[in-house]
Amino acid sequence: MPRKIILDCDPGHDDALAILAAYGSPAIELLAVTTVCGNQTVDLVTHNALVIGTVAGMRTVKFARGAESPLRREHKAAPDIHGDSGMDGPAPREADIQLDPRAATQLIVETVMTSDPGEITLVATAPLTNLALALRLEPAIAGRVAEVAIMGGAIGQGNMTASAEFNILVDPEAAKEVFEAAWPITMMGLEVSHQALATPDVRTRIRALGNDLGTFVDELLEFFEARYLEHQHFEAAPVHDLCPVVYLIDPTVFDLVRAPIAVETKGELTDGRTVVDLRLPAGLDCRHQVGTGLDHARFWDIVVESIAAIG
Ligand code: RIB
Ligand code: CA
């Protein structure tokens, strides 16, 4: 049975590939895409999500707009990596998919509460504001979702500061509430997402798709790769947000460690850090696990096959 998911995101070049891989994989039923301020404003990332849905013909997927700002902090976008539109690079495309009239948090809560316990999985590849607001709206969702799989955080070095990764640092208070809730969380942090590199052979396979979708993805990766080289000295783009999606398709692609994770919200130098406690084997009550490695060949086989399946 395919895993039913709601994907909360801030497209975003890597979010776009996560949406496409989820939509194309037979192992996943993508029920909805919800958006949140992150890489760019919520208006811009919502438009980008609708463009992605239009390019891929995602007529069965619901799209809902989410939080305009973090719980308490001022929103800071990431134009250096994603550009002023949040998805610079590809030629501008029209969106012809309509938004669901509900806000993202309402759609998340209604979908989870009207489904069977364990039927829905939440995936987040963006700041965790929507998930925190959904928990506040209906705390019972924590006991009903199968699991929460996120791209965010790090065991060690961050990417926005030495301590913090972008998705967590945009809204540490939301991340704290999400990690403290009583649901299972799989965290795909920078240690594993920096291994999800769109190397030249991967780029060649994407171009070989030979259709407009392949061209769209290649144009995304072209821009994303150039920005990562310029700003973080990567030779190939780390496509972070694919990690939680590929994990749900085939968890055996990853090395995973169970460990309690907490979020720093008050540190002068450590604000937004995900504190992963690896000192002892995790207790039976530990609800968290973190990715530490991935099989690069199998990872990209899954991604390319999923995108190719969209046609
Ligand atoms: O730190 C990487 C994360 O921040 C990714 O989700 C990327 O899309 C940005 O949101
Ligand atoms: Ca993202």
Coordinates of all heavy atoms in Angstrom, one line a residue, residues 169-225:
L169 N 16.4 27.3 12.0 CA 16.8 28.6 12.5 C 15.7 29.6 12.1 O 15.5 30.6 12.8 CB 18.1 29.0 11.9 CG 18.7 30.4 12.5 CD1 18.8 30.3 14.0 CD2 20.0 30.7 11.8
V170 N 15.0 29.4 11.0 CA 13.9 30.3 10.7 C 12.8 30.4 11.8 O 12.3 31.5 12.1 CB 13.2 29.9 9.3 CG1 11.9 30.7 9.1 CG2 14.2 30.2 8.2
D171 N 12.6 29.2 12.4 CA 11.5 29.2 13.4 C 11.9 28.2 14.5 O 11.3 27.1 14.6 CB 10.2 28.9 12.8 CG 9.0 29.2 13.8 OD1 9.3 29.5 15.0 OD2 7.9 29.3 13.3
P172 N 12.9 28.5 15.4 CA 13.3 27.5 16.4 C 12.2 27.2 17.4 O 12.1 26.0 17.9 CB 14.5 28.2 17.1 CG 14.9 29.2 16.1 CD 13.7 29.7 15.4
E173 N 11.3 28.1 17.7 CA 10.2 27.9 18.6 C 9.3 26.8 18.1 O 8.8 25.9 18.8 CB 9.5 29.2 19.0 CG 10.2 30.2 19.9 CD 11.4 30.9 19.2 OE1 11.4 31.0 17.9 OE2 12.4 31.2 19.9
A174 N 9.0 26.9 16.8 CA 8.1 25.9 16.2 C 8.8 24.6 16.2 O 8.2 23.5 16.5 CB 7.8 26.3 14.7
A175 N 10.1 24.5 15.9 CA 10.8 23.3 15.8 C 10.9 22.6 17.2 O 10.7 21.4 17.4 CB 12.3 23.5 15.3
K176 N 11.0 23.5 18.2 CA 11.0 22.9 19.6 C 9.7 22.3 19.9 O 9.6 21.1 20.5 CB 11.3 24.1 20.6 CG 11.2 23.8 22.1 CD 11.5 25.0 22.9 CE 11.3 24.8 24.4 NZ 12.2 23.7 25.0
E177 N 8.6 22.9 19.6 CA 7.2 22.3 19.8 C 7.0 21.0 19.0 O 6.5 20.1 19.5 CB 6.1 23.4 19.5 CG 6.1 24.5 20.4 CD 5.0 25.5 20.1 OE1 4.0 25.1 19.5 OE2 5.1 26.7 20.6
V178 N 7.5 21.0 17.8 CA 7.4 19.8 17.0 C 8.2 18.6 17.6 O 7.7 17.5 17.7 CB 7.8 20.1 15.5 CG1 8.0 18.8 14.7 CG2 6.8 21.0 14.9
F179 N 9.4 18.9 18.0 CA 10.3 17.8 18.5 C 9.8 17.4 19.9 O 10.1 16.3 20.4 CB 11.7 18.2 18.5 CG 12.4 18.0 17.2 CD1 12.5 19.0 16.3 CD2 13.0 16.7 16.9 CE1 13.2 18.8 15.1 CE2 13.6 16.5 15.7 CZ 13.7 17.5 14.8
E180 N 9.1 18.3 20.6 CA 8.6 17.9 22.0 C 7.3 17.1 21.9 O 6.8 16.6 22.9 CB 8.5 19.1 22.9 CG 9.9 19.7 23.3 CD 9.8 20.9 24.1 OE1 8.7 21.5 24.2 OE2 10.9 21.3 24.7
A181 N 6.6 17.1 20.8 CA 5.3 16.5 20.7 C 5.5 15.0 20.7 O 6.6 14.4 20.3 CB 4.6 16.9 19.4
A182 N 4.4 14.2 21.0 CA 4.5 12.8 21.2 C 4.2 12.1 19.9 O 3.3 11.3 19.8 CB 3.5 12.4 22.3
W183 N 5.1 12.4 18.9 CA 4.9 11.6 17.6 C 6.3 11.2 17.2 O 7.3 11.8 17.5 CB 4.2 12.4 16.5 CG 4.7 13.8 16.3 CD1 5.9 14.4 16.6 CD2 4.0 14.8 15.6 NE1 5.9 15.7 16.2 CE2 4.8 16.0 15.5 CE3 2.7 14.8 14.9 CZ2 4.3 17.2 14.9 CZ3 2.3 16.0 14.3 CH2 3.1 17.1 14.3
P184 N 6.4 10.1 16.4 CA 7.8 9.7 15.9 C 8.3 10.6 14.9 O 7.6 11.1 14.0 CB 7.5 8.3 15.3 CG 6.1 7.9 15.6 CD 5.4 9.2 15.9
I185 N 9.6 11.0 15.0 CA 10.2 11.9 14.1 C 11.5 11.3 13.5 O 12.3 10.8 14.2 CB 10.5 13.3 14.7 CG1 9.3 14.0 15.2 CG2 11.3 14.2 13.7 CD1 9.5 15.3 15.9
T186 N 11.6 11.4 12.2 CA 12.8 11.0 11.5 C 13.4 12.3 11.0 O 12.8 13.0 10.2 CB 12.6 10.0 10.4 OG1 12.1 8.8 10.9 CG2 13.9 9.8 9.6
M187 N 14.6 12.7 11.5 CA 15.3 13.9 11.1 C 16.4 13.6 10.1 O 17.4 12.9 10.4 CB 15.9 14.6 12.3 CG 16.5 16.0 12.0 SD 17.2 16.8 13.4 CE 19.0 16.4 13.2
M188 N 16.2 14.1 8.9 CA 17.3 14.1 7.9 C 18.0 15.4 7.9 O 17.5 16.4 7.3 CB 16.7 13.8 6.5 CG 16.1 12.4 6.4 SD 17.3 11.1 6.5 CE 16.3 9.7 6.5
G189 N 19.1 15.4 8.6 CA 19.9 16.7 8.8 C 21.0 16.8 7.7 O 21.1 16.0 6.8
L190 N 21.8 17.8 8.0 CA 22.8 18.1 7.0 C 23.9 17.0 6.8 O 24.4 16.9 5.7 CB 23.6 19.4 7.4 CG 22.7 20.7 7.4 CD1 23.5 21.9 7.9 CD2 22.1 21.0 6.0
E191 N 24.1 16.2 7.8 CA 25.1 15.1 7.6 C 24.7 14.2 6.5 O 25.5 13.7 5.8 CB 25.2 14.3 8.9 CG 26.0 15.0 10.0 CD 25.3 16.1 10.7 OE1 24.0 16.0 10.7 OE2 25.9 17.0 11.3
V192 N 23.4 14.0 6.4 CA 22.9 13.1 5.3 C 22.5 13.9 4.0 O 22.8 13.5 2.9 CB 21.8 12.2 5.8 CG1 20.5 12.9 6.0 CG2 21.6 11.0 4.9
S193 N 22.0 15.1 4.2 CA 21.5 15.8 3.0 C 22.7 16.3 2.2 O 22.6 16.5 1.0 CB 20.6 17.0 3.4 OG 21.3 18.0 4.0
H194 N 23.8 16.5 2.9 CA 25.1 16.9 2.1 C 25.6 15.8 1.3 O 26.6 15.9 0.5 CB 26.1 17.5 3.1 CG 25.8 18.9 3.5 ND1 26.5 19.6 4.5 CD2 24.9 19.8 3.0 CE1 26.0 20.8 4.6 NE2 25.1 21.0 3.7
Q195 N 25.1 14.6 1.5 CA 25.5 13.4 0.7 C 24.6 13.2 -0.5 O 24.8 12.5 -1.4 CB 25.5 12.1 1.5 CG 26.5 12.1 2.7 CD 26.5 10.8 3.4 OE1 26.4 9.7 2.9 NE2 26.5 11.0 4.8
A196 N 23.5 14.0 -0.5 CA 22.5 13.8 -1.6 C 22.8 14.7 -2.8 O 22.1 15.6 -3.2 CB 21.1 14.2 -1.1
L197 N 24.0 14.5 -3.3 CA 24.6 15.5 -4.3 C 24.2 15.1 -5.7 O 24.3 14.0 -6.1 CB 26.1 15.4 -4.2 CG 26.7 15.9 -2.9 CD1 28.2 15.6 -2.8 CD2 26.5 17.3 -2.6
A198 N 23.7 16.1 -6.4 CA 23.3 16.0 -7.8 C 24.6 16.1 -8.7 O 24.9 17.1 -9.3 CB 22.3 17.1 -8.2
T199 N 25.3 15.0 -8.7 CA 26.6 14.9 -9.4 C 26.4 14.9 -10.9 O 25.3 14.8 -11.4 CB 27.3 13.5 -9.0 OG1 26.4 12.5 -9.2 CG2 27.8 13.6 -7.5
P200 N 27.5 15.1 -11.7 CA 27.4 15.2 -13.1 C 26.6 14.0 -13.7 O 25.8 14.2 -14.6 CB 28.8 15.3 -13.6 CG 29.6 15.9 -12.5 CD 28.9 15.4 -11.2
D201 N 26.9 12.8 -13.2 CA 26.1 11.6 -13.8 C 24.7 11.7 -13.5 O 23.8 11.4 -14.3 CB 26.7 10.3 -13.3 CG 26.5 10.1 -11.8 OD1 27.0 10.9 -11.1 OD2 25.8 9.2 -11.5
V202 N 24.3 12.3 -12.3 CA 22.9 12.4 -12.0 C 22.3 13.5 -13.0 O 21.2 13.3 -13.5 CB 22.7 12.9 -10.6 CG1 21.3 13.4 -10.3 CG2 23.1 11.8 -9.6
R203 N 23.0 14.6 -13.2 CA 22.5 15.7 -14.1 C 22.3 15.1 -15.5 O 21.3 15.4 -16.1 CB 23.5 16.8 -14.1 CG 23.8 17.5 -12.8 CD 22.7 18.5 -12.4 NE 22.2 19.3 -13.5 CZ 22.8 20.5 -13.9 NH1 23.9 20.9 -13.2 NH2 22.4 21.2 -14.9
T204 N 23.2 14.2 -15.9 CA 23.1 13.6 -17.3 C 21.8 12.7 -17.3 O 21.1 12.8 -18.3 CB 24.3 12.7 -17.6 OG1 25.5 13.6 -17.5 CG2 24.2 12.0 -18.9
R205 N 21.5 12.0 -16.3 CA 20.3 11.1 -16.3 C 19.1 11.9 -16.3 O 18.1 11.6 -16.9 CB 20.4 10.2 -15.0 CG 21.5 9.2 -15.1 CD 21.5 8.4 -13.8 NE 20.4 7.5 -13.6 CZ 20.2 6.7 -12.5 NH1 21.0 6.8 -11.5 NH2 19.1 5.9 -12.5
I206 N 19.1 13.1 -15.6 CA 17.9 14.0 -15.6 C 17.7 14.5 -17.0 O 16.6 14.5 -17.5 CB 18.1 15.1 -14.6 CG1 18.1 14.5 -13.1 CG2 17.0 16.1 -14.7 CD1 16.8 14.1 -12.5
R207 N 18.8 15.0 -17.6 CA 18.6 15.6 -18.9 C 18.1 14.6 -19.9 O 17.4 14.8 -20.9 CB 20.0 16.2 -19.4 CG 20.2 17.6 -18.9 CD 21.4 18.2 -19.6 NE 22.7 17.6 -19.2 CZ 23.4 18.0 -18.2 NH1 23.0 19.0 -17.5 NH2 24.5 17.4 -17.9
A208 N 18.5 13.3 -19.7 CA 18.2 12.2 -20.6 C 16.7 11.9 -20.6 O 16.2 11.1 -21.4 CB 19.0 11.0 -20.3
L209 N 16.0 12.4 -19.6 CA 14.5 12.2 -19.5 C 13.9 12.7 -20.8 O 12.8 12.2 -21.3 CB 13.9 12.9 -18.3 CG 14.3 12.3 -16.9 CD1 13.7 13.1 -15.8 CD2 13.9 10.8 -16.9
G210 N 14.5 13.8 -21.4 CA 14.1 14.2 -22.7 C 12.7 14.8 -22.8 O 12.0 14.8 -23.9
N211 N 12.1 15.3 -21.7 CA 10.8 15.9 -21.8 C 10.8 17.3 -21.1 O 11.8 17.7 -20.5 CB 9.7 15.0 -21.2 CG 10.1 14.6 -19.8 OD1 10.9 15.2 -19.1 ND2 9.5 13.4 -19.4
D212 N 9.7 18.0 -21.0 CA 9.7 19.3 -20.4 C 9.9 19.2 -18.9 O 10.6 20.1 -18.4 CB 8.3 20.0 -20.7 CG 8.3 21.4 -20.1 OD1 9.2 22.2 -20.4 OD2 7.4 21.7 -19.2
L213 N 9.5 18.1 -18.3 CA 9.7 18.0 -16.9 C 11.2 17.8 -16.6 O 11.8 18.4 -15.7 CB 8.9 16.8 -16.3 CG 9.0 16.6 -14.8 CD1 8.4 17.8 -14.1 CD2 8.1 15.4 -14.5
G214 N 11.9 17.0 -17.5 CA 13.3 16.9 -17.3 C 14.1 18.2 -17.5 O 15.0 18.5 -16.8
T215 N 13.6 18.9 -18.5 CA 14.2 20.3 -18.7 C 14.0 21.2 -17.5 O 14.9 21.9 -17.1 CB 13.6 20.9 -20.0 OG1 13.8 20.0 -21.1 CG2 14.2 22.3 -20.3
F216 N 12.8 21.2 -17.0 CA 12.5 22.0 -15.8 C 13.4 21.6 -14.6 O 14.0 22.5 -14.0 CB 11.0 21.8 -15.4 CG 10.6 22.5 -14.2 CD1 10.5 23.8 -14.1 CD2 10.1 21.7 -13.1 CE1 10.1 24.5 -13.0 CE2 9.7 22.4 -11.9 CZ 9.7 23.8 -11.9
V217 N 13.5 20.3 -14.4 CA 14.4 19.9 -13.3 C 15.8 20.2 -13.5 O 16.6 20.7 -12.6 CB 14.2 18.4 -13.0 CG1 15.2 17.8 -12.0 CG2 12.8 18.0 -12.6
D218 N 16.3 20.0 -14.8 CA 17.7 20.4 -15.1 C 17.9 21.9 -14.9 O 19.0 22.3 -14.4 CB 18.0 20.0 -16.5 CG 19.5 20.2 -16.9 OD1 20.3 19.6 -16.1 OD2 19.8 20.9 -17.8
E219 N 17.0 22.7 -15.3 CA 17.1 24.2 -15.1 C 17.2 24.5 -13.6 O 17.9 25.4 -13.2 CB 16.0 24.9 -15.8 CG 16.1 24.8 -17.3 CD 14.8 25.4 -18.0 OE1 13.8 25.6 -17.3 OE2 14.9 25.5 -19.2
L220 N 16.4 23.8 -12.8 CA 16.4 24.0 -11.4 C 17.8 23.7 -10.8 O 18.4 24.5 -10.1 CB 15.4 23.1 -10.7 CG 13.9 23.5 -10.8 CD1 13.0 22.4 -10.2 CD2 13.6 24.8 -10.0
L221 N 18.3 22.5 -11.2 CA 19.6 22.1 -10.7 C 20.8 22.9 -11.2 O 21.7 23.2 -10.5 CB 19.8 20.6 -11.1 CG 18.9 19.6 -10.4 CD1 19.1 18.2 -10.9 CD2 19.2 19.6 -8.9
E222 N 20.6 23.4 -12.4 CA 21.7 24.3 -13.0 C 21.9 25.5 -12.0 O 23.0 25.9 -11.6 CB 21.3 24.8 -14.4 CG 22.4 25.6 -15.1 CD 23.5 24.7 -15.6 OE1 23.4 23.5 -15.6 OE2 24.6 25.3 -15.8
F223 N 20.7 26.2 -11.7 CA 20.8 27.4 -10.9 C 21.3 27.0 -9.4 O 22.1 27.7 -8.9 CB 19.4 28.0 -10.8 CG 19.4 29.3 -10.0 CD1 19.6 30.5 -10.6 CD2 19.1 29.2 -8.6 CE1 19.5 31.7 -9.8 CE2 19.1 30.4 -7.8 CZ 19.3 31.6 -8.4
F224 N 20.7 26.0 -8.9 CA 20.9 25.5 -7.5 C 22.4 25.2 -7.3 O 23.1 25.6 -6.4 CB 20.0 24.3 -7.2 CG 19.8 24.0 -5.8 CD1 19.4 25.0 -4.9 CD2 19.9 22.7 -5.3 CE1 19.2 24.7 -3.5 CE2 19.6 22.4 -4.0 CZ 19.3 23.4 -3.1
E225 N 22.9 24.5 -8.3 CA 24.4 24.1 -8.3 C 25.3 25.3 -8.3 O 26.2 25.4 -7.5 CB 24.6 23.2 -9.5 CG 26.0 22.7 -9.6 CD 26.2 21.8 -10.9 OE1 25.7 20.6 -10.9 OE2 26.7 22.3 -11.9

